């Protein structure tokens, strides 16, 4: 079962442009994480935002969280060809320390040189 | 930190055969997850462990799937009587038990059932 849904499913932009991906989720969360996956590889953790935070930055990444709308966005600024990958949001359901991590369906990002 | 290791990297099997995959987590991580991923989709939760205890198993997982984590170290995922629909990438991840701890993924085992 998927907890989150990313939007758009696919995104193609020119190198140097900004890329924005959105994630919606269904249940209450403790935190939301974003991961990146290159083709044929495992996922790599990018950034985590807690439920009491509204915005977080890390390098060229900016994440926002709106718990009232149950949504998050990931912004990648000044995109590079190496940013081509799939991006997934993941949530820890509920507030138990034993919460499992559930992933969304992902956005496939292509950066055109 | 040698990372999460999964073996084999690829597995081709005939329908009806049993297969077993292995995951070696990062040594100090006591939480271990198994996910299944098909092309164009996100990782689908299968099961997870804290130490040797299996905390939850997806209701989508049939009885043909079983996972173990003896002694709380490496884990195995076995699929009995494989079906073509089992063809997918099987991903393992490990983490510390803290709620904010990121998952560290292996590169997966790609299963093809012919």
């Amino acid at each position: 079962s998927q907890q989150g849904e990313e939007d758009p499913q696919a995104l193609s932009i020119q190198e140097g442009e900004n890329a924005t991906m959105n994630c919606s989720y269904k249940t209450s969360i403790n935190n939301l994480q974003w991961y990146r996956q290159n083709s044929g590889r495992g996922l790599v953790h990018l950034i985590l935002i807690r439920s009491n935070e509204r915005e977080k930055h890390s390098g060229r990444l900016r994440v926002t969280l709106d718990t009232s709308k149950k949504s998050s966005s990931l912004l990648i600024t000044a995109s590079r060809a190496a940013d081509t990958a799939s991006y997934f949001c993941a949530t820890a359901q509920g507030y138990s320390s034993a919460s499992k991590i559930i992933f969304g369906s992902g956005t496939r990002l292509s950066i055109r040189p | 930190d040698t990372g999460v290791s999964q073996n084999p990297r690829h597995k081709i099997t005939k329908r009806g055969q049993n297969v077993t995959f292995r995951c070696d987590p990062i040594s100090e991580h006591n939480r271990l997850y198994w996910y299944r991923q098909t092309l164009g989709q996100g990782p689908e939760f299968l099961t997870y462990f804290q130490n040797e205890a299996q905390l939850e198993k997806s209701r989508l997982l049939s009885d043909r799937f079983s996972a173990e984590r003896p002694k709380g170290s490496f884990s195995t995922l076995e699929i009995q009587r494989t079906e073509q629909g089992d063809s997918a990438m099987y991903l393992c991840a490990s983490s510390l038990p803290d709620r904010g701890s990121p998952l560290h993924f292996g590169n997966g085992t790609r299963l093809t059932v012919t």
Side-chain angles (χ1 to χ4, degrees):
Chain A
S1 62
Q2 304 288 144
Q3 158 75 316
E5 292 294 330
E6 278 88 338
D7 168 55
Q9 289 188 334
L11 179 62
S12 178
I13 61 172
Q14 201 75 31
E15 191 169 16
E17 294 180 339
N18 296 342
T20 299
M21 290 159 271
N22 303 295
C23 166
S24 60
Y25 56 92
K26 299 173 185 174
T27 64
S28 62
I29 62 170
N30 174 269
N31 63 70
L32 186 143
Q33 304 178 39
W34 284 90
Y35 288 78
R36 164 201 168 115
Q37 184 180 34
N38 288 85
S39 180
R41 306 298 295 271
L43 284 74
V44 175
H45 179 261
L46 293 176
I47 193 168
L48 176 148
I49 186 165
R50 300 187 187 281
S51 58
N52 61 354
E53 296 176 311
R54 291 296 169 260
E55 187 170 313
K56 200 162 183 180
H57 297 255
S58 176
R60 293 185 296 113
L61 304 180
R62 173 178 167 249
V63 171
T64 62
L65 179 65
D66 187 336
T67 53
S68 66
K69 295 181 179 178
K70 291 187 168 57
S71 67
S72 173
S73 67
L74 172 67
L75 168 68
I76 303 174
T77 60
S79 63
R80 305 167 181 170
D83 294 329
T84 294
S86 292
Y87 292 83
F88 299 93
C89 66
T91 54
Q93 292 181 342
Y95 292 90
S96 162
S97 62
S99 301
K100 63 188 179 188
I101 307 297
I102 301 295
F103 286 83
S105 52
T107 292
R108 292 183 301 282
L109 176 64
S110 297
I111 308 299
R112 302 190 303 272
Chain B
D1 180 353
T2 57
V4 177
S5 176
Q6 290 189 248
N7 288 288
R9 191 82 172 89
H10 302 276
K11 178 70 177 178
I12 300 174
T13 191
K14 292 186 177 180
R15 189 174 52 189
Q17 298 295 305
N18 299 345
V19 293
T20 300
F21 310 140
R22 176 177 171 126
C23 172
D24 287 273
I26 293 171
S27 57
E28 61 267 27
H29 287 181
N30 52 12
R31 190 161 288 181
L32 186 148
Y33 290 78
W34 284 100
Y35 292 89
R36 176 172 62 190
Q37 187 179 29
T38 53
L39 196 63
Q41 298 298 311
E44 177 187 18
F45 171 79
L46 294 180
T47 188
Y48 75 130
F49 294 82
Q50 179 142 321
N51 299 314
E52 66 276 7
Q54 189 171 20
L55 297 185
E56 187 171 340
K57 180 178 175 180
S58 170
R59 286 172 291 177
L60 301 175
L61 219 56
S62 77
D63 291 340
R64 297 184 296 106
F65 288 71
S66 62
E68 294 182 341
R69 194 183 180 195
K71 302 177 184 177
S73 55
F74 71 92
S75 176
T76 57
L77 177 68
E78 181 183 17
I79 308 174
Q80 296 181 328
R81 303 180 304 282
T82 52
E83 302 172 356
Q84 286 188 319
D86 297 332
S87 295
M89 176 76 87
Y90 290 83
L91 294 166
C92 175
S94 69
S95 76
L96 295 170
D98 309 324
R99 264 176 283 177
S101 293
L103 301 185
H104 295 255
F105 279 83
N107 284 324
T109 293
R110 180 165 296 283
L111 173 65
T112 302
V113 182
T114 62

